[in-house]
């Protein structure tokens, strides 16, 4: 299947005609082509967005809200179809796409359909000076949204929904590795009555199409989710043009387990936080730190549970772990497992590629547990972004906190404990944007979402995203 760019409400071939192959990771074969869009395509998308902006930014909140709700409703109505497309494009289990990815994409639109009707700005009366100040929060204009391959429609819509709810027009690029559901979103937007040009989707390589969006002098804000290296590059390109930037980047998140936790709930959740989506979630708890008292028990129970996970064809409902997203990514993840020995680490479970009958060329890897002795090893410092976790023990709260913070990343952390004082001390002292206590990936879309340190700049979610996608203007009125 050949997909096309979505510009000004129409589906179009790239101006220069180039295409890139798209792979189905579960079988390792090409199943489609996507536009290899050039600077000219980005310019065309920008023109469409700029033309749509005067009208869309003056469209009532009630109308915008209604259109966003309609998009949400249509996504929900196409749940099975979209989940199948996502699973085929990404390799994730169909059950996960149905339970998480697609419902969340609908929820993103529904949430911002509601949030925009509640978004307000401040007024400051300058008492004694006969003046009043109020803040106008106006849309920025044309904004760029660039998203990764791990949660394709989920993260793509997490940016687009607040951007258009706030009155902006968008030039968006999904990952070239997983373009399919973004393509299908174009059709849904037309069906929902989104005016042409409000959303424009250009497909292509990050280094050319993505780069052209970031370099565009009149795209004044960029919302990006992806790797830390790419984020740093985007920040360098955007800085001289003083663009607004929201960067959601990598993580190396600690999962800190104390002996006083609810053990069964912790064990169940830790299997999920380690291996959901083949470990390809920026929030996965890839470093498991366990209090020494229960270390040996945890090790035994965790290995037993993980050994029962089914690696297999993503389209089978009972598959727990599907295919990794690409051959290159599989090789990258495997290369981290291969350095375990040099790092004085021990593979406790997994470590090998898996051959699935009739799917021999798919990109499958066993869930892998590696015991490490030193937090400074590469396995504990670098983002692997696959079904690989490390475990190590700690003796005291101080040691656990030190180990948890001793990485360059600061996206999220999970703590398992029933001690209230410890919960508060860790919540305050962890250098991360998110702390989960006795849970993982429980999301309330009103909360600020994002990372500290090398995990990013800015926050998405709730009104934070609406603030990002608007420019505050102070108006001061003097009266007699
Ligand atoms: P990348 O950084 O490689 O790519 C992300 C997006 O940026 C893709 O659309 C990519 O296009 C594009 N891109 C690449 N180079 C440029 C460039 N020079 N200019 C503009 N755009 C560019 O990340 P991955 O897709 O590999 O995603 C995995 C990463 O994302 C992990 O590090 C993960 O932790 C992080 N992530 C962070 C989250 C968070 O909320 N903090 C959530 C989910 C993932 P293309 O695919 O075509 O190269």
């Amino acid at each position: 299947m050949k997909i096309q760019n979505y510009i000004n409400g129409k589906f179009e071939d790239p101006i220069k005609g180039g295409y890139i192959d798209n792979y189905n990771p579960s079988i390792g074969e090409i199943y489609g082509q996507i536009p290899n869009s050039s600077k000219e395509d980005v310019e065309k998308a920008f023109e469409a967005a700029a033309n749509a902006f005067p009208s869309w930014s003056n469209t009532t909140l009630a109308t915008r809200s209604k259109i966003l709700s309609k998009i949400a409703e249509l996504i929900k109505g196409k749940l099975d179809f979209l989940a199948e497309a996502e699973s085929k494009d990404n390799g994730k289990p169909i059950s996960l796409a149905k339970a998480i990815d697609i419902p969340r994409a609908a929820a993103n639109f529904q949430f911002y359909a509601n949030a925009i009707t509640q978004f307000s700005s401040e007024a400051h009366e300058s008492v004694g000076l006969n003046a009043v100040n109020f803040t106008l929060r106006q849309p920025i204009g044309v904004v760029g949204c660039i998203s990764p391959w791990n949660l394709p429609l989920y993260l793509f819509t997490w940016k687009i929904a607040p951007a258009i709810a706030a009155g902006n027009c968008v030039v968006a690029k999904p990952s070239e590795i997983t373009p399919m559901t973004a393509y299908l979103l174009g059709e849904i937007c037309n069906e929902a009555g989104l005016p042409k040009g409000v959303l424009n989707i250009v497909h292509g390589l990050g280094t050319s199409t993505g780069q052209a969006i970031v370099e565009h002098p009149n795209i004044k804000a960029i919302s990006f989710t992806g790797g830390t290296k790419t984020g740093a590059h985007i920040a360098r390109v955007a800085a001289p043009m003083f663009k607004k930037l929201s960067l959601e980047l990598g993580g190396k998140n600690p999962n800190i387990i104390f002996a006083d936790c609810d053990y069964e709930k912790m064990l169940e959740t830790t299997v999920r936080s380690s291996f959901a989506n083949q470990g390809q979630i920026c929030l996965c708890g890839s470093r498991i730190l366990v209090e020494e008292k229960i270390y040996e028990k945890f090790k035994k129970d965790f290995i037993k549970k993980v050994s029962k996970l089914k690696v297999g064809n993503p389209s089978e409902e009972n598959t727990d772990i599907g295919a990794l997203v690409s051959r290159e990514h599989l090789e990258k993840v495997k290369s981290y497992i291969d350095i375990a020995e040099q790092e004085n680490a021990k593979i406790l479970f997994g470590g090998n590629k898996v051959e699935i009958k009739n799917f021999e060329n798919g990109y499958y890897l066993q869930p892998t547990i590696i015991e490490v002795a030193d937090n400074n090893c590469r396995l504990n410092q670098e983002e692997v972004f696959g079904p690989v976790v490390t475990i190590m023990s700690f003796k005291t709260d101080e040691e656990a906190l030190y180990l948890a913070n001793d990485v360059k990343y600061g996206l999220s952390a999970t703590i398992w404990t029933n001690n209230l004082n410890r919960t508060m001390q860790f919540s305050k002292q962890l250098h991360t944007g998110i702390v989960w206590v006795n849970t993982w990936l429980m999301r309330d879309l009103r909360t600020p979402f994002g990372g500290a340190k090398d995990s990013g700049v800015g926050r998405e979610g709730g009104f934070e995203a609406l603030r990002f996608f608007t420019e505050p203007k102070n108006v001061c009125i003097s009266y007699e």
Side-chain angles (χ1 to χ4, degrees), residues 146-150 155 173-177 204-207 210-211 214 224-227 230 233-234 248-251 282 383 385 411 449:
I146 301 175
S147 61
W149 48 257
N150 61 330
L155 289 176
K173 191 196 92 66
S175 170
E176 135 236 346
I177 306 169
L205 299 171
T207 45
Q211 180 84 12
V214 178
F224 169 82
T225 298
T230 318
H233 171 77
I234 288 175
E248 299 295 337
L249 310 176
C282 53
E383 189 183 41
F385 214 57
L411 187 53
F449 179 88

Side-chain angles (χ1 to χ4, degrees), residues 90-93 96 149-150 272 274-281 284 310-312 314 319-325 329 333 363-365 384-388:
N90 172 280
K92 67 176 68 212
L96 189 73
W149 48 257
N150 61 330
R272 224 166 33 84
S274 302
F275 300 115
N277 204 37
Q278 297 70 248
Q280 303 167 144
I281 303 180
C284 276
K310 186 183 166 220
V311 181
T319 289
D320 298 302
I321 299 191
L324 270 68
V325 78
H329 191 58
V333 175
Y363 316 136
Y364 300 96
L365 188 65
V384 179
F385 214 57
V388 179

Side-chain angles (χ1 to χ4, degrees), residues 104-212:
R104 173 59 191 273
N108 290 339
F109 279 106
Q110 192 56 63
F111 178 84
Y112 281 104
N114 297 334
I116 195 61
T117 67
Q118 304 299 314
F119 189 47
S120 58
S121 52
E122 309 91 23
H124 301 88
E125 188 187 357
S126 302
V127 179
L129 297 175
N130 275 1
V132 67
N133 289 270
F134 64 89
T135 309
L136 279 178
R137 282 209 161 258
Q138 294 171 301
I140 295 169
V142 180
V143 300
C145 297
I146 301 175
S147 61
W149 48 257
N150 61 330
L151 301 164
L153 193 62
Y154 174 136
L155 289 176
F156 196 55
T157 55
W158 183 229
K159 298 179 178 308
I160 290 167
I164 63 177
N168 300 284
C169 294
V170 174
V171 177
K173 191 196 92 66
S175 170
E176 135 236 346
I177 306 169
T178 54
M180 188 52 77
T181 47
Y183 166 68
L184 298 170
L185 180 67
E187 286 175 6
I188 290 171
C189 288
N190 282 352
E191 206 179 327
L194 186 72
K196 60 182 188 178
V198 173
L199 171 64
N200 304 278
I201 302 170
V202 277
H203 297 275
L205 299 171
T207 45
S208 49
T209 317
Q211 180 84 12

